[in-house]
Amino acid sequence: MKTRQELLVKVIARVHLPFKCQYLKPVLKIYNKGQHIRSKHGSWATPLLHLIKAVAGNHPSTLQLSSSVWNYSGIVSMAGSSSRRMRIQRTTPIPQERGAWASKLEFILTVAGAIVGLGNVWRFPYLCYKNGGGAFFIPYVLYLVTCGIPLFILEISLGQYTNQGGITCWTKICPLFEGLGYASQMIIVYGSITYIVIIVWAFLYLLSAFSLELPWASCENAWNTDACIVYDGKNSSLNWTSPLNASSSVMEFWRHRVLHLSTGMESLGGVRWDLALILLLVWIIVYFCIWKGVKSTGKAAYFTATFPYVTLLVLLLRGVTLPGAADGIHFYMYPNVSRLADPQVWMDAGTQIFYSYAICLGYLSSLGSYNNYYNNCYRDSFYLCLLNSGTSFVSGFAIFSVLGHMAKEQGIDISVVAESGPGLVFIVYPQAVTLLPWSQFWAVCFFTMIILLGLDSQFVGLESIMTAVTDVFPSVLRRGYRRELLLLALCLFCYLLGLFMVTEVLNASMRIYRI
């Protein structure tokens, strides 16, 4: 005859709950003290439900218990007068567990990888110098305190409280808000198709850096024109940004080798198959980073979220030791208070906060939904916000120290070389590394950092989509390999649409990033 304790263990073992192992011992302890409740019909479902609630409190996962337990009939049937046996019959199939972070560190690193991206490197330093240097921190910190941190905490806590992704979390708050979730996921899909092209360009630069001579440092390549000129500091009397009859080797590499621009929008041109293969490689990497949900996403973040800081530190230490670095840093930080009277400065500060903190996209609520219900999300959010803004601030020193050296070597003003967006990453900085000893090493460090900064933002976006869709259809997608197959279909769909972004047309992808 099986004891009641064994009976309870079997019922718990068959119920798919994220916290069943965590609370098994306390449940048995309560049971052994005789604090169970008998149901009128002899079923163990009601006492089990009360026992779990007594231990777990009002944890949202307990809400899933009612349907899971009642779908199992723990019936104690009599087989004669001397034996008793239990028969557990599942009336409806139960989906797999939703999953949870293996540790808080995985959550911290994954969120850090999502919010710390290319905007911290190529946008914030430029906005800071453009909008008054150190004076720009006044509107930036104001928006950070009044908008950035509160909204960041709101999204993390929303996912953690509801235990749902970017769509169903709004449904639980108010069904009328469900459209917000669908809209945010569509934005992520669109961004996933376009954002990944930057990683593809960076991969091409990285692969090109593994050569005896950087290909953008010479004019002896097949893509160079007769007007190509190499600017190495010796011909500093020339204005390298807009000569009348010449173009720099770096600019020609960017325009003729990477983009391979067509004659106009009416001419689509062919697909750049080298870029298409790199695009396929990046999508394969993204797929395997998240194919097992947060189990694989958290593990990938150990590398993709930490190594960029190693390369950033290396570039910073090298940059501040270069001649002219002090001039670049002074140009970056010198406060111009009069710029605060310009409304555009305040608009740029607010835009940077919303852009760099991934607010209102569903990232944060999806990642927060895998937290323990009692996790201190306020503290985590505050530290992550400080990390994000601190990274932007330090990146400015790494970038402008090198630009200051470049301006001094070429005898031009820093304002001439200071640029934002793709122009900084793919034109200005590659030009700067050609002036350094061991230029291949510094190019590899820089573009590795760019790739990893973009990569974790990319796969976290896809993870957010998969979390949201899976929570809408849990009984359908949490079975077998259905989630993996849906992710594969999504990656393939985005890859095929992304092929339009690597054609020779003038130039869909560049127009998007200029906007």
Side-chain angles (χ1 to χ4, degrees):
M1 180 174 61
K2 295 185 181 296
T3 65
R4 291 178 178 176
Q5 179 173 338
E6 292 174 348
L7 177 63
L8 183 59
V9 170
K10 286 192 175 183
V11 173
I12 295 176
R14 294 295 296 274
V15 177
H16 293 274
L17 293 175
F19 57 90
K20 64 182 180 184
C21 296
Q22 180 180 356
Y23 293 112
L24 179 57
K25 290 182 180 180
V27 167
L28 294 178
K29 185 177 180 181
I30 293 176
Y31 178 84
N32 290 332
K33 290 182 179 180
Q35 299 180 16
H36 63 278
I37 304 172
R38 288 184 182 275
S39 65
K40 295 181 180 180
H41 305 288
S43 170
W44 287 98
T46 299
L48 177 60
L49 180 59
H50 284 280
L51 286 171
I52 295 292
K53 283 185 176 180
V55 177
N58 293 323
H59 194 290
S61 299
T62 309
L63 300 177
Q64 301 175 0
L65 182 63
S66 58
S67 60
S68 300
V69 170
W70 288 110
N71 285 334
Y72 286 87
S73 56
I75 301 175
V76 181
S77 60
M78 301 297 296
S81 59
S82 61
S83 64
R84 176 179 294 177
R85 63 181 180 179
M86 180 191 69
R87 177 169 55 89
I88 298 181
Q89 178 182 1
R90 187 167 64 182
T91 59
T92 58
I94 302 300
Q96 299 173 2
E97 295 180 4
R98 189 175 186 274
W101 298 110
S103 65
K104 176 179 283 193
L105 181 60
E106 290 189 4
F107 166 70
I108 295 294
L109 292 178
T110 304
V111 177
I115 62 177
V116 178
L118 298 176
N120 299 77
V121 175
W122 77 13
R123 194 167 188 270
F124 177 84
Y126 173 78
L127 290 179
C128 190
Y129 112 84
K130 171 189 171 185
N131 294 313
F136 180 70
F137 285 97
I138 296 177
Y140 181 83
V141 173
L142 182 62
Y143 277 110
L144 173 64
V145 173
T146 59
C147 296
I149 295 178
L151 289 176
F152 194 91
I153 294 175
L154 175 64
E155 286 205 51
I156 292 287
S157 58
L158 177 64
Q160 183 171 312
Y161 176 75
T162 60
N163 199 30
Q164 294 293 312
I167 297 177
T168 49
C169 68
W170 292 107
T171 306
K172 287 185 174 293
I173 297 299
C174 177
L176 289 175
F177 292 166
E178 186 175 354
L180 295 174
Y182 284 103
S184 64
Q185 301 310 308
M186 289 302 300
I187 294 174
I188 297 176
V189 172
Y190 175 74
S192 299
I193 298 171
T194 57
Y195 187 81
I196 198 171
V197 180
I198 303 175
I199 308 175
V200 173
W201 292 337
F203 253 111
L204 183 59
Y205 273 85
L206 177 64
L207 297 176
S208 301
F210 290 100
S211 58
L212 296 177
E213 182 182 17
L214 293 178
W216 57 83
S218 69
C219 292
E220 300 177 357
N221 304 288
W223 58 82
N224 291 127
T225 64
D226 295 336
C228 177
I229 292 180
V230 178
Y231 296 97
D232 55 5
K234 297 178 181 180
N235 48 2
S236 57
S237 59
L238 295 175
N239 183 356
W240 73 272
T241 57
S242 56
L244 295 178
N245 299 316
S247 60
S248 69
S249 57
V250 177
M251 181 65 73
E252 290 201 351
F253 181 84
W254 169 242
R255 294 180 63 87
H256 303 314
R257 174 65 182 92
V258 179
L259 299 182
H260 205 281
L261 300 178
S262 63
T263 56
M265 289 295 295
E266 71 280 356
S267 176
L268 179 63
V271 174
R272 298 290 313 284
W273 291 109
D274 51 350
L275 296 181
L277 291 176
I278 297 176
L279 180 64
L280 178 61
L281 171 64
V282 176
W283 273 115
I284 292 174
I285 295 174
V286 169
Y287 175 80
F288 283 106
C289 282
I290 62 175
W291 75 311
K292 289 298 182 181
V294 292
K295 293 181 181 179
S296 56
T297 303
K299 302 300 183 294
Y302 278 110
F303 176 72
T304 60
T306 57
F307 192 76
Y309 285 96
V310 177
T311 56
L312 179 62
L313 179 61
V314 171
L315 293 173
L316 174 64
L317 294 177
R318 178 53 178 154
V320 296
T321 59
L322 292 172
D327 297 333
I329 294 174
H330 178 268
F331 188 79
Y332 166 55
M333 290 299 299
Y334 183 77
N336 181 8
V337 182
S338 62
R339 290 285 293 142
L340 296 180
D342 187 357
Q344 186 63 41
V345 174
W346 297 82
M347 291 175 60
D348 288 342
T351 302
Q352 178 63 19
I353 289 294
F354 279 83
Y355 177 78
S356 63
Y357 279 80
I359 296 173
C360 305
L361 291 178
Y363 282 33
L364 304 178
S365 55
S366 294
L367 298 178
S369 67
Y370 294 104
N371 275 337
N372 183 282
Y373 180 73
Y374 299 103
N375 176 60
N376 190 344
C377 60
Y378 302 104
R379 180 182 58 195
D380 295 344
S381 300
F382 183 73
Y383 289 156
L384 285 167
C385 290
L386 292 182
L387 176 66
N388 186 22
S389 296
T391 303
S392 301
F393 179 68
V394 174
S395 297
F397 289 94
I399 295 298
F400 273 88
S401 60
V402 175
L403 296 185
H405 171 70
M406 178 181 175
K408 182 176 181 179
E409 288 292 311
Q410 296 185 342
I412 55 180
D413 190 78
I414 302 177
S415 61
V416 177
V417 298
E419 197 170 341
S420 176
L424 172 65
V425 174
F426 299 112
I427 299 176
V428 176
Y429 209 91
Q431 175 71 44
V433 298
T434 61
L435 305 177
L436 303 176
W438 304 331
S439 56
Q440 291 90 342
F441 172 76
W442 302 114
V444 169
C445 286
F446 179 73
F447 287 108
T448 300
M449 179 183 69
I450 294 300
I451 290 171
L452 293 178
L453 286 175
L455 191 62
D456 46 17
S457 299
Q458 178 74 18
F459 70 67
V460 169
L462 266 294
E463 176 61 34
S464 174
I465 296 173
M466 293 304 303
T467 298
V469 175
T470 304
D471 286 340
V472 174
F473 307 102
S475 60
V476 176
L477 296 178
R478 290 183 190 150
R479 302 179 189 282
Y481 293 96
R482 295 184 182 182
R483 184 189 184 278
E484 288 83 351
L485 293 176
L486 176 62
L487 176 61
L488 179 61
L490 178 61
C491 292
L492 181 60
F493 172 76
C494 292
Y495 169 72
L496 293 177
L497 291 182
L499 291 178
F500 289 99
M501 307 300 294
V502 293
T503 58
E504 299 174 354
V505 64
L506 178 70
N507 187 333
S509 50
M510 278 306 298
R511 287 176 181 269
I512 289 172
Y513 297 120
R514 284 171 182 172
I515 294 174

